[in-house]
Amino acid sequence: MTEYGYFLSCEEHSPGDLVEQARMAEQAGFTSLWISDHFHPWTDEQGHSPLVWAVIGAVSEATSLPVETAVTCPTMRLNPVVTGQAAATSSVLLQGRFRLGVGSGEALNEHILGDPWPPAAVRLEMLEEAVQVMRLLFEGGQVNHHGKHYTVENARLYTLPEEPVPIDVSAFGPAATEVAGRIGDGLVTMVPDPDAVARFRRAGGGQKPVQGGVKVCWGPDREAALDTAHRLWAVEQLPGELNQVLPTPAHFAQAAELVTRERVAAAVTCGDDVDAHVGALRAYADAGFDRVHVSQIGPLQRGFFDFYRTKVLPRLAE
């Protein structure tokens, strides 16, 4: 049976608010947590972007839920050696209830050190090598690696969990999905696409977990909820590779002006219709997903958790 978790949005909320949402998610009956890893928000309107590893440390003291980054890019802004250390420490704090979700990243977050932003094929190549480096570190012992993209000399993680940290790979297209199947311990994606699930499993994913994420905007007034979703997350409806290549929140705000309110209405479940919320999540279950993480857009967090605790999650358990 598909399980349902909550997706903490570092782009929208302060560290303290994220920790409180983690508590409310557990109390509402969600069974796991995703948390985004960004240096910048997508737009200034979203307004936040705390260091995810510090937030994970606080969350580990606030709840007993499993936690996963959705997703970390371990290739440029964060070297894979440093990412591996952060993931291992997070897993120790969470007593093994941590999974590292990784992806090939966006220029928005990864170009900040002045490095060139490579094309998609090179980014996937870098990601594959980064995963290789982290898996070596998770084994313990001293690591030396001289690869195409990374050099590691005399590196050893002294604080390690009892088992290596599982690494799930994010994918939004066929090439990335095949990489995920080949190197990942699971698949992370945001679209309930049964073809992507099948491609992942054929590429080597087998019966490894497939996890999805979806944003909704609960509220007693659907039109007001739709306004909030359009104001904060119109960027999710940008086509093609724009989300991967635009460099600043200002550029995303400019591009988001082209996304109509009607397009957001067609893509995001807004309001308090129980059937609509249940249907949005069941689409992932029907596509073969093992776990779905739902994120509430905007400030009405407590009302959202009450709504899901009393009306949505019981329906999904039927």
Side-chain angles (χ1 to χ4, degrees):
M1 180 178 291
T2 303
E3 298 181 3
Y4 297 93
Y6 187 70
F7 192 170
L8 299 166
S9 174
C10 284
E11 301 95 316
E12 281 191 66
H13 302 287
S14 70
D17 287 343
L18 292 166
V19 173
E20 180 58 26
Q21 289 166 26
R23 292 193 186 99
M24 290 192 290
E26 185 168 27
Q27 293 164 0
F30 290 101
T31 60
S32 59
L33 297 168
W34 267 8
I35 184 166
S36 57
D37 177 6
H38 270 238
F39 187 85
H40 292 134
W42 295 98
T43 65
D44 288 349
E45 188 72 37
Q46 291 175 346
H48 284 280
S49 202
L51 179 67
V52 70
W53 305 108
V55 179
I56 288 171
V59 167
S60 73
E61 291 294 306
T63 84
S64 62
L65 295 181
V67 178
E68 177 163 10
T69 53
V71 290
T72 290
C73 179
T75 61
M76 299 182 71
R77 168 176 55 104
L78 292 175
N79 183 279
V81 174
V82 177
T83 307
Q85 184 186 31
T89 299
S90 297
S91 187
V92 170
L93 286 170
L94 286 155
Q95 300 178 7
R97 303 186 313 275
F98 179 75
R99 299 180 75 92
L100 177 63
V102 299
S104 58
E106 305 91 17
L108 175 71
N109 300 303
E110 306 309 320
H111 86 290
I112 57 171
L113 302 180
D115 298 305
W117 183 238
V122 175
R123 300 199 305 269
L124 284 174
E125 188 179 77
M126 294 172 71
L127 179 63
E128 188 163 356
E129 187 177 339
V131 169
Q132 178 187 357
V133 167
M134 290 187 292
R135 291 200 191 282
L136 290 172
L137 289 165
F138 294 154
E139 291 176 3
Q142 191 174 94
V143 173
N144 290 280
H145 171 88
H146 298 274
K148 182 175 181 180
H149 299 287
Y150 303 105
T151 297
V152 183
E153 292 186 355
N154 307 327
R156 178 183 173 188
L157 298 183
Y158 279 82
T159 299
L160 284 168
E162 292 184 2
E163 299 292 333
V165 178
I167 302 176
D168 298 331
V169 177
S170 173
F172 294 94
T177 302
E178 291 182 4
V179 170
R182 187 170 67 253
I183 70 171
D185 294 312
L187 173 67
V188 169
T189 190
M190 298 294 286
V191 179
D193 181 359
D195 293 335
V197 175
R199 183 183 296 273
F200 167 75
R201 302 210 181 282
R202 286 196 307 269
Q207 297 306 306
K208 295 174 183 177
V210 174
Q211 300 189 69
V214 59
K215 286 184 173 62
V216 303
C217 192
W218 173 86
D221 182 330
R222 182 182 181 277
E223 295 305 308
L226 177 55
D227 287 341
T228 298
H230 183 248
R231 176 172 58 86
L232 292 174
W233 284 98
V235 292
E236 278 218 330
Q237 309 310 318
L238 294 175
E241 282 194 85
L242 286 179
N243 281 336
Q244 281 70 52
V245 300
L246 293 179
T248 69
H251 288 96
F252 275 96
Q254 293 165 12
E257 292 179 4
L258 302 175
V259 178
T260 65
R261 193 171 179 273
E262 290 72 25
R263 181 163 182 171
V264 173
V268 180
T269 300
C270 296
D272 62 355
D273 185 318
V274 177
D275 290 339
H277 284 264
V278 170
L281 272 65
R282 278 193 173 151
Y284 290 81
D286 293 342
F289 282 65
D290 299 290
R291 183 171 288 167
V292 185
H293 293 82
V294 57
S295 182
Q296 162 71 356
I297 296 171
L300 302 182
Q301 295 291 321
R302 190 167 297 279
F304 162 85
F305 284 116
D306 287 343
F307 177 69
Y308 266 66
R309 176 179 58 82
T310 59
K311 296 182 178 180
V312 178
L313 294 180
R315 283 274 303 276
L316 290 168
E318 293 174 357

